[in-house]
Amino acid sequence: QVQLVESGRGLVQAGGSLRLSCAASGRTFSSYAMGWFRQAPGKERKFVAGITRSGTNTYYADSVKGRFSISRDNAKNTVYLQMNSLKPEDTAVYYCAAGTSVVTATWNYWGQGTQVTVSS
């Protein structure tokens, strides 16, 4: 069992930056691929970024490529999402997830979500 807790919620202006963190419980953090997803009001939850167990490979949705960066610190059981050049359309609840594979989109555990609001 893995418990995930996101932090870093905030209100920023367009063009600004924000960093989200997701802390995981348990001793097996490094055995999970990690991902970030987001859900805007009235829309379905969508993949934003993913990172493999070792952190060697990262994956991004086209909408955030070049602006967002995912990283992890296995010693701290934490995954991060650095968000730069934020746009109003990035406004959403952001969720972190742990799973067996980014490529096959197999996600087993979810955090409670954290709100990000970007004003124009």
Side-chain angles (χ1 to χ4, degrees), residues 79-99:
V79 62
Y80 305 96
L81 184 68
Q82 178 66 44
M83 305 184 292
N84 299 325
S85 302
L86 282 161
K87 304 175 181 180
E89 51 263 43
D90 294 318
T91 295
V93 177
Y94 283 72
Y95 299 87
C96 73

Side-chain angles (χ1 to χ4, degrees), residues 4-51:
L4 304 172
V5 180
E6 301 98 337
S7 60
R9 65 184 296 159
L11 169 63
V12 297
Q13 289 188 332
S17 297
L18 197 63
R19 188 176 83 156
L20 304 181
S21 300
C22 174
S25 64
R27 300 180 179 180
T28 59
F29 178 73
S30 61
S31 66
Y32 290 97
M34 299 297 296
W36 285 96
F37 292 74
R38 67 187 182 187
Q39 186 168 19
K43 297 188 177 181
E44 63 182 18
R45 188 176 302 186
K46 292 186 176 181
F47 173 81
V48 174
I51 188 167

Side-chain angles (χ1 to χ4, degrees), residues 101-116:
S101 172
V102 178
V103 174
T104 61
T106 308
W107 304 102
N108 305 109
Y109 303 101
W110 294 86
Q112 82 289 351
T114 189
Q115 178 70 47
V116 172

Side-chain angles (χ1 to χ4, degrees), residues 46-91:
K46 292 186 176 181
F47 173 81
V48 174
I51 188 167
T52 53
R53 295 174 180 84
S54 64
T56 301
N57 295 314
T58 56
Y59 305 83
Y60 298 94
D62 288 342
S63 59
V64 306
K65 278 182 182 177
R67 300 188 299 122
F68 289 14
S69 177
I70 187 171
S71 62
R72 66 189 297 162
D73 186 336
N74 286 345
K76 295 182 178 180
N77 284 9
T78 302
V79 62
Y80 305 96
L81 184 68
Q82 178 66 44
M83 305 184 292
N84 299 325
S85 302
L86 282 161
K87 304 175 181 180
E89 51 263 43
D90 294 318
T91 295

